[in-house]
Amino acid sequence: MSPTGATASHAHTVNHLALSAPGWLRDNIDTLVGVPLRILLVVVGAAIVRAVAKKAISRVVQRILQPPEAESEPRRSGRGPAVLARDRSRANERREQRARTIGSVLSSIVTIVVAVMGVAMVLDQIGIALGPLLASAGVVGLAIGFGAQSLVADYLSGMLIMLEDQYGVGDSVDLGEAVGEVEHVGLRLTQVRDLNGGLWHIRNGEILRVRNDSQEWARAVLDVSVAHESNLDTVFEVLERTGRELREEPRFRDVLLEDPSVWGVQSLDPDGVVVRLAVKTAPLQQWGVTRELRRRVKEALTGAGIDIPFPQRTVWMRSEEGLADVPAQNTGPVRR
């Protein structure tokens, strides 16, 4: 081929490309511009949704952090003021812990959901079929669900424990075998320190029931046994007077939420009559109040000449006629 022919062929090729380039751009304008633009819109929309959701979660957290109105005003009942003596700093710390944990979990859930939806929409725009991916993800998720169902139950139970405020750090609880003070509440585990100093680690999914001795109020209950010959009206009067004197003292004024009341005869035992005395107290104060009541009731009954009976014994005596059982009176406690 001559130089003139080669030059003409090259010019023809350049002209052909120049004429076909606008057509190719027109044919692929959607791929070059539309797809990236839609992907950008998906990313921006996901970011906006996540920001709005996090702002709503922050409002929920702030609402949880605000103390309820019931805690800022003293409670009153028909029998007089019932001021709930609670540790404000510990209550605020517990409320903050709940709020931060719930906010963190909700934020993570929103981020994961928005990210998964955003990735699925981007893949759809690129042209990748989502059907096989979703089927594979479903199979993997089913396998993980069977293998980690106890872990999922722990996390769900932990969320419900925090949302319902069943217990918190510093509460005295009974979780079955674990009885003591709560030191940590997480989404998966609860840590309880028992009376002997042992630290229990309990999975939240295994907690079937909870007894919380630290919420709202408690009750001190004292059963007093007196002799059958005692005048019950006198016993009631002594117990009520002792309870009123205890509440009038400054150090017990805010601990006792009401005047102690005598509920009456609890049982008739062979050794004596059991009378029950009860009073509402601030949380975790019932044991100290019971010990103090027991000491004062003992002194008051002794001062009033009311005997606290000893266990009765039957003495067998041998005589010429044979064996006879004679109940021994005021023989004192059985010594072993």
Side-chain angles (χ1 to χ4, degrees):
M1 181 181 295
S2 64
T4 303
T7 302
S9 176
H10 178 69
H12 177 74
T13 303
V14 170
N15 292 333
H16 177 73
L17 291 175
L19 293 175
S20 60
W24 182 85
L25 289 175
R26 286 194 304 270
D27 296 338
N28 297 275
I29 189 66
D30 183 68
T31 303
L32 296 176
V33 179
V35 172
L37 183 59
R38 286 194 291 269
I39 292 176
L40 180 61
L41 291 176
V42 169
V43 173
V44 172
I48 293 175
V49 171
R50 182 175 179 272
V52 172
K54 288 181 70 68
K55 187 174 181 180
I57 292 172
S58 299
R59 290 185 177 180
V60 173
V61 171
Q62 292 299 326
R63 186 173 181 179
I64 296 176
L65 286 174
Q66 293 177 356
E69 297 179 359
E71 291 187 8
S72 60
E73 299 179 358
R75 297 186 176 186
R76 295 187 176 274
S77 63
R79 305 188 63 175
V83 181
L84 187 62
R86 303 184 67 177
D87 188 347
R88 297 295 182 184
S89 61
R90 193 184 72 177
N92 294 334
E93 180 182 356
R94 170 177 172 177
R95 188 181 298 109
E96 182 176 356
Q97 181 195 33
R98 288 180 57 228
R100 302 301 180 197
T101 305
I102 294 173
S104 176
V105 173
L106 293 179
S107 298
S108 300
I109 293 175
V110 168
T111 300
I112 293 174
V113 172
V114 172
V116 170
M117 293 181 62
V119 170
M121 296 176 69
V122 169
L123 293 177
D124 182 63
Q125 294 299 322
I126 295 176
I128 299 177
L130 297 179
L133 291 178
L134 293 177
S136 302
V139 173
V140 174
L142 187 61
I144 294 176
F146 277 113
Q149 54 183 336
S150 61
L151 187 63
V152 174
D154 293 340
Y155 278 93
L156 290 178
S157 299
M159 278 293 298
L160 292 177
I161 288 172
M162 293 184 181
L163 288 173
E164 297 173 356
D165 193 20
Q166 298 179 14
Y167 55 82
V169 175
D171 284 354
S172 178
V173 298
D174 181 351
L175 303 181
E177 294 187 19
V179 180
E181 181 178 346
V182 179
E183 289 197 351
H184 175 73
V185 181
L187 288 177
R188 194 177 73 88
L189 290 176
T190 293
Q191 296 177 353
V192 176
R193 181 80 61 178
D194 63 18
L195 183 62
N196 298 321
L199 185 63
W200 291 72
H201 301 265
I202 308 103
R203 288 172 38 209
N204 293 330
E206 294 182 344
I207 299 176
L208 302 180
R209 54 98 174 143
V210 178
R211 191 191 75 190
N212 193 333
D213 294 324
S214 306
Q215 287 185 343
E216 300 301 329
W217 55 272
R219 176 175 282 125
V221 179
L222 179 63
D223 288 337
V224 181
S225 181
V226 297
H228 286 281
E229 297 80 11
S230 302
N231 188 324
L232 292 182
D233 292 335
T234 304
V235 173
F236 292 172
E237 193 274 331
V238 170
L239 295 180
E240 290 179 352
R241 184 178 67 251
T242 303
R244 288 196 302 269
E245 292 175 354
L246 178 64
R247 194 187 182 195
E248 290 173 358
E249 291 195 5
R251 65 191 182 104
F252 288 102
R253 189 170 300 158
D254 292 335
V255 175
L256 274 64
L257 305 184
E258 64 181 11
D259 289 334
S261 60
V262 178
W263 286 5
V265 177
Q266 183 68 17
S267 64
L268 297 174
D269 296 338
D271 300 328
V273 180
V274 178
V275 181
R276 174 161 292 182
L277 176 67
V279 58
K280 280 187 178 181
T281 70
L284 302 180
Q285 301 297 323
Q286 63 269 31
W287 301 292
V289 171
T290 303
R291 287 191 290 268
E292 183 65 19
L293 272 176
R294 190 177 291 114
R295 182 183 70 84
R296 291 172 179 252
V297 165
K298 169 62 173 64
E299 295 176 354
L301 291 178
T302 301
I306 301 174
D307 294 331
I308 297 178
F310 293 111
Q312 300 294 318
R313 294 182 300 173
T314 300
V315 179
W316 292 88
M317 303 179 63
R318 183 179 295 275
S319 62
E320 296 180 357
E321 290 78 10
L323 294 177
D325 57 324
V326 179
Q329 300 295 333
N330 299 326
T331 57
V334 180
R335 299 187 181 274
R336 299 181 182 274

